[in-house]
Coordinates of all heavy atoms in Angstrom, one line a residue:
I184 N -14.6 1.8 -13.0 CA -14.1 2.3 -11.7 C -15.4 3.0 -11.1 O -15.8 4.0 -11.8 CB -13.0 3.3 -11.8 CG1 -11.7 2.5 -12.4 CG2 -12.6 3.9 -10.4 CD1 -10.5 3.5 -12.7
I203 N -16.5 5.5 -14.0 CA -15.5 5.7 -15.0 C -15.3 4.5 -15.9 O -15.0 3.4 -15.2 CB -14.1 6.2 -14.4 CG1 -14.2 7.5 -13.7 CG2 -13.0 6.3 -15.4 CD1 -13.0 7.9 -12.8
N204 N -15.3 4.7 -17.1 CA -15.1 3.5 -18.0 C -13.8 3.6 -18.6 O -13.4 4.4 -19.5 CB -16.2 3.6 -19.1 CG -16.1 2.2 -20.0 OD1 -15.3 1.4 -19.8 ND2 -17.0 2.1 -20.9
V205 N -12.9 2.7 -18.1 CA -11.4 2.6 -18.5 C -11.3 1.9 -19.8 O -10.5 2.2 -20.7 CB -10.6 2.0 -17.4 CG1 -9.2 1.7 -18.0 CG2 -10.6 2.7 -16.2
F215 N -4.1 9.2 -5.0 CA -2.9 10.1 -4.7 C -3.2 11.5 -4.8 O -4.3 11.9 -5.2 CB -1.7 9.7 -5.5 CG -1.7 10.0 -6.9 CD1 -1.1 11.1 -7.4 CD2 -2.5 9.3 -7.9 CE1 -1.0 11.5 -8.7 CE2 -2.5 9.7 -9.2 CZ -1.8 10.8 -9.6
R221 N -6.8 12.5 -7.2 CA -6.3 11.7 -8.4 C -6.3 10.2 -8.1 O -6.1 9.8 -7.0 CB -5.1 12.4 -8.9 CG -5.3 13.8 -9.5 CD -3.9 14.2 -10.1 NE -4.2 15.5 -10.9 CZ -4.1 16.6 -10.4 NH1 -3.9 16.8 -9.0 NH2 -4.3 17.7 -11.0
L222 N -6.4 9.5 -9.2 CA -6.3 8.1 -9.2 C -5.4 7.6 -10.2 O -5.6 7.9 -11.4 CB -7.8 7.6 -9.1 CG -7.9 6.0 -9.2 CD1 -9.2 5.7 -8.4 CD2 -8.1 5.6 -10.6
W223 N -4.5 6.8 -10.0 CA -3.8 6.1 -11.0 C -4.4 4.6 -11.2 O -4.9 4.1 -10.3 CB -2.3 6.0 -10.8 CG -1.8 5.2 -9.5 CD1 -1.5 5.9 -8.3 CD2 -1.7 3.9 -9.3 NE1 -1.1 5.0 -7.3 CE2 -1.3 3.7 -7.9 CE3 -1.9 2.8 -10.0 CZ2 -1.1 2.5 -7.3 CZ3 -1.8 1.5 -9.4 CH2 -1.3 1.4 -8.1
C224 N -4.3 4.2 -12.5 CA -5.0 2.9 -12.9 C -4.0 2.1 -13.8 O -3.7 2.6 -14.9 CB -6.3 3.2 -13.6 SG -7.1 1.7 -14.3
L225 N -3.6 1.0 -13.3 CA -2.9 0.0 -14.1 C -3.8 -1.1 -14.6 O -4.6 -1.6 -13.9 CB -1.7 -0.6 -13.3 CG -0.5 0.2 -13.0 CD1 0.5 -0.5 -12.1 CD2 0.2 0.6 -14.4
T226 N -3.7 -1.4 -15.9 CA -4.7 -2.4 -16.5 C -3.9 -3.8 -16.7 O -2.6 -3.8 -16.7 CB -5.3 -2.0 -17.8 OG1 -4.2 -1.9 -18.8 CG2 -5.8 -0.6 -17.7
T230 N -1.3 -0.8 -19.5 CA -1.5 0.6 -19.8 C -1.6 1.4 -18.4 O -2.0 0.8 -17.4 CB -2.7 0.9 -20.7 OG1 -3.9 0.5 -20.0 CG2 -2.5 0.2 -22.0
L231 N -1.4 2.7 -18.5 CA -1.5 3.5 -17.3 C -2.4 4.6 -17.6 O -2.2 5.3 -18.6 CB -0.1 4.0 -16.8 CG -0.1 5.0 -15.7 CD1 -0.6 4.4 -14.4 CD2 1.3 5.6 -15.5
G232 N -3.4 4.9 -16.7 CA -4.2 6.0 -16.8 C -4.2 6.8 -15.5 O -4.1 6.3 -14.4
I233 N -4.3 8.2 -15.6 CA -4.5 9.1 -14.5 C -5.8 9.8 -14.6 O -6.2 10.4 -15.6 CB -3.4 10.1 -14.4 CG1 -1.9 9.5 -14.5 CG2 -3.4 11.0 -13.2 CD1 -1.6 8.7 -13.4
W234 N -6.6 9.7 -13.5 CA -7.9 10.2 -13.5 C -8.1 11.2 -12.3 O -7.6 11.0 -11.3 CB -9.0 9.1 -13.4 CG -8.9 8.2 -14.5 CD1 -8.0 7.2 -14.8 CD2 -9.8 8.1 -15.7 NE1 -8.3 6.5 -15.9 CE2 -9.4 7.0 -16.5 CE3 -11.0 8.9 -16.1 CZ2 -10.1 6.7 -17.7 CZ3 -11.7 8.6 -17.2 CH2 -11.2 7.5 -18.0
D235 N -9.0 12.2 -12.5 CA -9.6 12.9 -11.4 C -10.8 12.2 -11.0 O -11.8 12.3 -11.8 CB -9.9 14.4 -11.8 CG -10.4 15.2 -10.6 OD1 -11.1 14.7 -9.8 OD2 -10.0 16.4 -10.6
W236 N -10.8 11.3 -10.0 CA -12.0 10.5 -9.7 C -13.1 11.3 -9.2 O -14.2 10.8 -9.3 CB -11.6 9.5 -8.7 CG -11.2 9.9 -7.3 CD1 -10.0 10.2 -6.9 CD2 -12.1 10.1 -6.2 NE1 -10.0 10.5 -5.5 CE2 -11.3 10.5 -5.1 CE3 -13.4 10.0 -6.1 CZ2 -11.8 10.8 -3.9 CZ3 -14.0 10.3 -4.8 CH2 -13.2 10.7 -3.7
N238 N -14.4 14.1 -10.4 CA -15.3 14.5 -11.5 C -15.2 13.7 -12.7 O -15.8 14.0 -13.8 CB -14.9 16.0 -12.0 CG -13.5 16.1 -12.4 OD1 -12.9 15.2 -13.0 ND2 -12.9 17.3 -12.3
G239 N -14.6 12.5 -12.6 CA -14.5 11.6 -13.7 C -13.6 11.9 -14.9 O -13.9 11.3 -16.0
R240 N -12.8 12.9 -14.8 CA -11.9 13.3 -15.9 C -10.7 12.6 -16.2 O -10.0 12.4 -15.2 CB -11.7 14.8 -15.9 CG -11.0 15.4 -17.0 CD -10.8 16.9 -16.9 NE -9.6 17.1 -15.9 CZ -9.7 17.7 -14.7 NH1 -10.9 18.0 -14.2 NH2 -8.7 17.9 -14.0
N241 N -10.4 12.1 -17.3 CA -9.2 11.4 -17.7 C -8.1 12.5 -18.0 O -8.3 13.3 -18.9 CB -9.3 10.5 -18.8 CG -8.1 9.8 -19.2 OD1 -7.7 9.8 -20.4 ND2 -7.4 9.2 -18.3
E242 N -7.1 12.5 -17.1 CA -6.0 13.5 -17.3 C -5.0 13.1 -18.2 O -4.4 13.8 -19.1 CB -5.4 13.9 -16.0 CG -6.5 14.6 -15.1 CD -5.8 15.2 -13.8 OE1 -4.6 14.8 -13.5 OE2 -6.5 15.9 -13.1
V243 N -4.6 11.8 -18.2 CA -3.5 11.2 -19.0 C -3.8 9.7 -19.2 O -4.4 9.1 -18.4 CB -2.2 11.3 -18.2 CG1 -1.1 10.7 -19.1 CG2 -1.8 12.6 -17.8
N244 N -3.6 9.3 -20.4 CA -3.7 7.9 -20.8 C -2.4 7.4 -21.5 O -2.3 7.8 -22.6 CB -5.0 7.6 -21.6 CG -5.2 6.2 -21.9 OD1 -5.0 5.4 -20.9 ND2 -5.6 5.7 -23.0
F245 N -1.7 6.6 -20.9 CA -0.5 6.0 -21.5 C -0.7 4.7 -22.1 O -0.6 3.7 -21.4 CB 0.7 6.0 -20.5 CG 1.2 7.3 -20.1 CD1 0.9 7.7 -18.7 CD2 2.0 8.1 -20.8 CE1 1.3 9.0 -18.3 CE2 2.4 9.3 -20.3 CZ 2.1 9.7 -19.0
S246 N -1.2 4.6 -23.3 CA -1.6 3.3 -23.9 C -0.3 2.5 -24.3 O -0.4 1.3 -24.4 CB -2.5 3.6 -25.2 OG -1.8 4.3 -26.1
D247 N 0.8 3.2 -24.5 CA 2.0 2.6 -24.8 C 3.0 2.7 -23.7 O 4.2 3.1 -23.9 CB 2.6 3.0 -26.1 CG 3.8 2.3 -26.5 OD1 3.9 1.0 -26.2 OD2 4.8 2.8 -27.2
A248 N 2.6 2.5 -22.5 CA 3.5 2.7 -21.2 C 4.7 1.9 -21.3 O 5.8 2.4 -21.0 CB 2.7 2.6 -20.0
L251 N 7.2 3.5 -23.8 CA 7.8 4.6 -23.2 C 8.8 4.4 -22.1 O 9.9 5.0 -22.1 CB 6.7 5.6 -22.7 CG 5.7 6.1 -23.8 CD1 4.6 6.9 -23.1 CD2 6.5 7.0 -24.8
L276 N 5.1 11.0 -8.7 CA 4.5 9.6 -8.9 C 5.5 8.8 -9.8 O 6.0 9.4 -10.8 CB 3.2 9.7 -9.7 CG 2.5 8.4 -10.0 CD1 1.9 7.7 -8.7 CD2 1.3 8.6 -11.0
L278 N 6.2 5.1 -11.7 CA 5.7 3.8 -12.3 C 6.8 2.8 -12.2 O 7.9 3.1 -12.7 CB 5.3 4.0 -13.7 CG 4.8 2.8 -14.6 CD1 3.6 2.2 -13.9 CD2 4.5 3.2 -16.0
P291 N 9.6 8.1 -13.4 CA 8.8 9.2 -13.1 C 7.7 9.5 -14.0 O 8.0 9.5 -15.3 CB 9.8 10.4 -12.9 CG 10.9 10.1 -13.8 CD 11.0 8.5 -13.8
V292 N 6.5 9.7 -13.6 CA 5.4 10.1 -14.4 C 5.0 11.5 -14.3 O 4.6 12.0 -13.2 CB 4.1 9.2 -14.0 CG1 2.9 9.5 -15.0 CG2 4.5 7.7 -14.2
N293 N 5.0 12.3 -15.4 CA 4.6 13.6 -15.4 C 3.1 13.6 -16.0 O 2.9 13.3 -17.1 CB 5.5 14.5 -16.3 CG 5.0 15.9 -16.3 OD1 4.3 16.4 -15.5 ND2 5.4 16.7 -17.3
H294 N 2.2 13.9 -15.1 CA 0.8 13.9 -15.5 C 0.2 15.3 -15.6 O -1.0 15.5 -15.8 CB 0.0 13.0 -14.6 CG 0.0 13.5 -13.1 ND1 -0.8 14.4 -12.6 CD2 0.9 13.1 -12.2 CE1 -0.4 14.6 -11.3 NE2 0.6 13.8 -11.0
K295 N 1.1 16.4 -15.5 CA 0.7 17.7 -15.6 C 1.3 18.3 -16.9 O 2.5 18.2 -17.1 CB 1.0 18.5 -14.4 CG 0.5 17.9 -13.1 CD 1.0 18.8 -11.9 CE 0.4 18.2 -10.5 NZ 0.9 18.8 -9.4
G296 N 0.5 19.0 -17.6 CA 1.1 19.6 -18.8 C 1.3 18.5 -20.0 O 0.5 17.7 -20.2
V297 N 2.5 18.5 -20.5 CA 3.0 17.5 -21.4 C 3.2 16.1 -20.7 O 4.1 16.0 -19.8 CB 4.2 17.8 -22.2 CG1 4.5 16.8 -23.2 CG2 3.9 19.2 -22.9
A298 N 2.3 15.1 -21.0 CA 2.3 13.9 -20.3 C 3.5 13.0 -20.8 O 3.7 12.9 -22.0 CB 1.0 13.0 -20.5
T299 N 4.4 12.6 -19.9 CA 5.6 11.9 -20.2 C 5.9 10.8 -19.1 O 5.5 10.9 -17.9 CB 6.8 12.8 -20.3 OG1 7.1 13.5 -19.1 CG2 6.7 13.8 -21.4
I300 N 6.5 9.8 -19.6 CA 7.2 8.8 -18.6 C 8.7 9.0 -18.8 O 9.3 8.8 -19.8 CB 6.8 7.4 -18.9 CG1 5.3 7.1 -18.6 CG2 7.6 6.4 -18.1 CD1 4.8 5.8 -19.1

Side-chain angles (χ1 to χ4, degrees):
I184 299 173
I203 293 171
N204 188 355
V205 175
F215 72 101
R221 289 185 172 85
L222 179 144
W223 56 261
C224 172
L225 285 173
T226 72
T230 64
L231 170 68
I233 307 294
W234 298 77
D235 184 323
W236 65 267
N238 61 29
R240 186 180 73 249
N241 179 229
E242 297 187 348
V243 179
N244 186 37
F245 294 103
S246 59
D247 186 28
L251 294 172
L276 180 71
L278 176 62
V292 178
N293 180 19
H294 54 91
K295 301 176 181 178
V297 179
T299 59
I300 294 178

